[in-house]
Amino acid sequence: MNAPRARVVGTGSFLPEKRLTNDDLAGMMDTSDEWISSRTGILERHIAAEDQVTSDLAAQAGLKALEAAGCDPEELDLIVCATSTPDLVFPATATIVQRKIGAQNAKAPAFDIQAVCTGFVYGLGIADQFIRSGMSKKVLVIGAETFSRIVDWEDRNTCVVFGDGAGAVVLEAVPGENASGILSTHMHADGSHVELLHVTGGVSRGRPEGFDVRHDALGFVDMQGNEVFKHAVKAMGAVAEEALAANGLKVADVDWFIPHQANRRILQATAKRISLPEEKVIMTLDHHGNTSAASVPLALDEAVRDGRIQPGHLVLLDAFGGGFTWAAALIRW
Ligand code: UT7
């Protein structure tokens, strides 16, 4: 008998109410709607309210996914939350989410994973292993971020790109013979390039020298955008091809490609690199920007809810982020 397979039975997402347009940013710093939209494809991003934390966004997205799945929070036997902007140093945001969605009575494990923008796809890969091994039967995987708290609002190279949000899926164990479900996941990391995309401070390192202690953050996002761009296109292309080859499938078999929503030009270049027509790329970054670990499940949820993704479709998720980390998941819907 085949090992169980993980099937996505519900998706959900959440964006905070406050919207920050390119014109709003142009009123705050030396930038323009023309520059941001032509260089990134982003038109606006959502920003968490002062009293809204990552677990609030995560819980909202999680509840929507549970509702779509017709699943009671008490049925969950694992919660995985991917985030680089946790509410607190500890405990894990996943445990706070567990309480907020009313899933704590099941006493199921809950933990965070940190792979920056690749976090959700890493989380999906980890959850898939828990289901394949028989350890878990119903899993909530969330990607949630409040990057607005760690960007330097005076650095136009980074702050115009990022936004806040959350997305989630509920996975359910189905018999391995089932045609639909996660076919495979593929995860990678290369720590040689930490400096190209990182936060300048942290708990152990402390704040960077000269950092204004009035800031709540321990440091700010620092990104060599141009360099990251090149690595992202190469790695996302390679892992997409790896996922297809592992399943004896071709690019032409893919119905929908859902890459990390970093920059329209990165998405277009990756699609071109693997010879995938652009109309198969789900692109939602125009209205939420780069939401790091939340971006893939946000885009996935939108494409499920507007009916683009249909049963039987082959869906390829692909992400790249700080570390560097990168990963893909191939799903038969
Ligand atoms: O999520 C994880 C992975 N992250 C990514 O994948 C992000 C990858 N990188 C990017 O998306 C792009 O590199 C950015 C959108 C961040 C930047 O776009 P770019 O086309 O690579 O611009 P650049 O950094 O090469 O800068 C070009 C010019 C510079 O001016 P000079 O030196 O040519 O005079 C910048 O100072 O654009 C200037 N610039 C801006 N101008 C207006 C940079 N940011 C802005 C801005 N408004 N917001």
Side-chain angles (χ1 to χ4, degrees), residues 44-121:
E44 63 178 19
R45 65 289 293 143
H46 291 245
I47 306 293
E50 257 177 53
D51 60 353
Q52 232 171 4
V53 287
T54 296
S55 64
D56 293 319
L57 278 49
Q60 291 294 331
L63 285 170
K64 287 185 186 173
L66 287 162
E67 190 187 3
C71 175
D72 193 296
E74 295 283 338
E75 292 172 50
L76 293 172
D77 52 16
L78 176 64
I79 299 174
V80 179
C81 183
T83 186
S84 307
T85 46
D87 290 14
L88 302 166
V89 172
F90 73 78
T93 303
T95 61
I96 304 170
V97 171
Q98 190 204 50
R99 182 167 72 183
K100 284 186 177 168
I101 64 172
Q104 74 273 29
N105 290 340
K107 307 276 192 292
F111 56 82
D112 289 359
I113 61 142
Q114 219 279 41
V116 205
C117 305
T118 316
F120 176 80
V121 186

Side-chain angles (χ1 to χ4, degrees), residues 120-132:
F120 176 80
V121 186
Y122 260 51
L124 209 60
I126 292 163
D128 184 43
Q129 299 308 317
F130 270 74
I131 286 180
R132 280 176 191 269

Side-chain angles (χ1 to χ4, degrees), residues 14-20 44-50 52-54 57-58 85 143-151 153 159 161-167 287-295 298:
F14 180 78
L15 289 168
E17 203 180 315
K18 184 179 168 192
R19 286 147 65 157
L20 191 66
E44 63 178 19
R45 65 289 293 143
H46 291 245
I47 306 293
E50 257 177 53
Q52 232 171 4
V53 287
T54 296
L57 278 49
T85 46
E145 304 278 16
T146 47
F147 256 56
S148 64
R149 306 268 152 82
I150 56 165
V151 293
W153 287 101
C159 75
V161 178
F162 294 100
D164 301 337
H287 56 271
H288 57 66
N290 182 343
T291 56
S292 187
S295 94
L298 267 167

Side-chain angles (χ1 to χ4, degrees), residues 17-329:
E17 203 180 315
K18 184 179 168 192
R19 286 147 65 157
L20 191 66
T21 65
N22 292 348
D23 283 335
D24 293 335
L25 285 166
M28 294 159 59
M29 65 194 74
D30 182 17
T31 189
S32 63
D33 174 45
E34 202 283 324
W35 192 96
I36 302 171
S37 55
S38 64
R39 294 283 181 135
T40 70
I42 298 165
L43 304 180
E44 63 178 19
R45 65 289 293 143
H46 291 245
I47 306 293
E50 257 177 53
D51 60 353
Q52 232 171 4
V53 287
T54 296
S55 64
D56 293 319
L57 278 49
Q60 291 294 331
L63 285 170
K64 287 185 186 173
L66 287 162
E67 190 187 3
C71 175
D72 193 296
E74 295 283 338
E75 292 172 50
L76 293 172
D77 52 16
L78 176 64
I79 299 174
V80 179
C81 183
T83 186
S84 307
T85 46
D87 290 14
L88 302 166
V89 172
F90 73 78
T93 303
T95 61
I96 304 170
V97 171
Q98 190 204 50
R99 182 167 72 183
K100 284 186 177 168
I101 64 172
Q104 74 273 29
N105 290 340
K107 307 276 192 292
F111 56 82
D112 289 359
I113 61 142
Q114 219 279 41
V116 205
C117 305
T118 316
F120 176 80
V121 186
Y122 260 51
L124 209 60
I126 292 163
D128 184 43
Q129 299 308 317
F130 270 74
I131 286 180
R132 280 176 191 269
S133 71
M135 278 276 285
S136 306
K137 298 211 160 26
K138 278 198 181 166
V139 185
L140 179 61
V141 184
I142 307 171
E145 304 278 16
T146 47
F147 256 56
S148 64
R149 306 268 152 82
I150 56 165
V151 293
D152 179 354
W153 287 101
E154 288 173 11
D155 177 13
R156 67 177 187 172
N157 290 296
T158 50
C159 75
V160 304
V161 178
F162 294 100
D164 301 337
V169 299
V170 176
L171 299 177
E172 189 177 70
V174 293
E177 299 71 31
N178 210 297
S180 65
I182 296 177
L183 303 183
S184 65
T185 60
H186 306 264
M187 297 181 249
H188 297 282
D190 178 0
S192 320
H193 307 288
V194 170
E195 292 72 23
L196 293 180
L197 176 52
H198 68 295
V199 171
T200 52
V203 181
S204 194
R205 280 257 296 260
R207 289 191 170 93
E209 208 176 317
F211 196 79
D212 187 340
V213 289
R214 285 168 304 173
H215 290 297
D216 291 333
L218 287 165
F220 289 142
V221 175
D222 186 64
M223 178 170 74
Q224 304 299 312
N226 248 323
E227 281 303 308
V228 176
F229 191 120
K230 287 182 246 170
H231 284 277
V233 172
K234 216 168 139 189
M236 289 209 293
V239 77
E241 282 169 348
E242 178 188 333
L244 289 166
N247 292 280
L249 292 162
K250 297 188 185 63
V251 171
D253 297 318
V254 174
D255 293 293
W256 297 109
F257 180 50
I258 310 187
H260 166 46
Q261 307 285 307
N263 178 324
R264 184 180 58 206
R265 285 157 52 223
I266 293 182
L267 276 54
Q268 288 168 331
T270 307
K272 193 170 167 209
R273 197 180 173 96
I274 61 170
S275 308
L276 181 111
E278 214 181 300
E279 48 288 6
K280 289 187 173 184
V281 183
I282 305 282
M283 229 183 276
T284 59
L285 56 86
D286 57 326
H287 56 271
H288 57 66
N290 182 343
T291 56
S292 187
S295 94
V296 168
L298 267 167
L300 173 67
D301 183 49
E302 195 169 311
V304 168
R305 284 178 193 260
D306 69 20
R308 270 178 288 179
I309 296 179
Q310 289 294 322
H313 279 177
L314 188 67
V315 180
L316 178 56
L317 311 185
D318 197 345
F320 178 88
F324 290 136
T325 54
W326 62 102

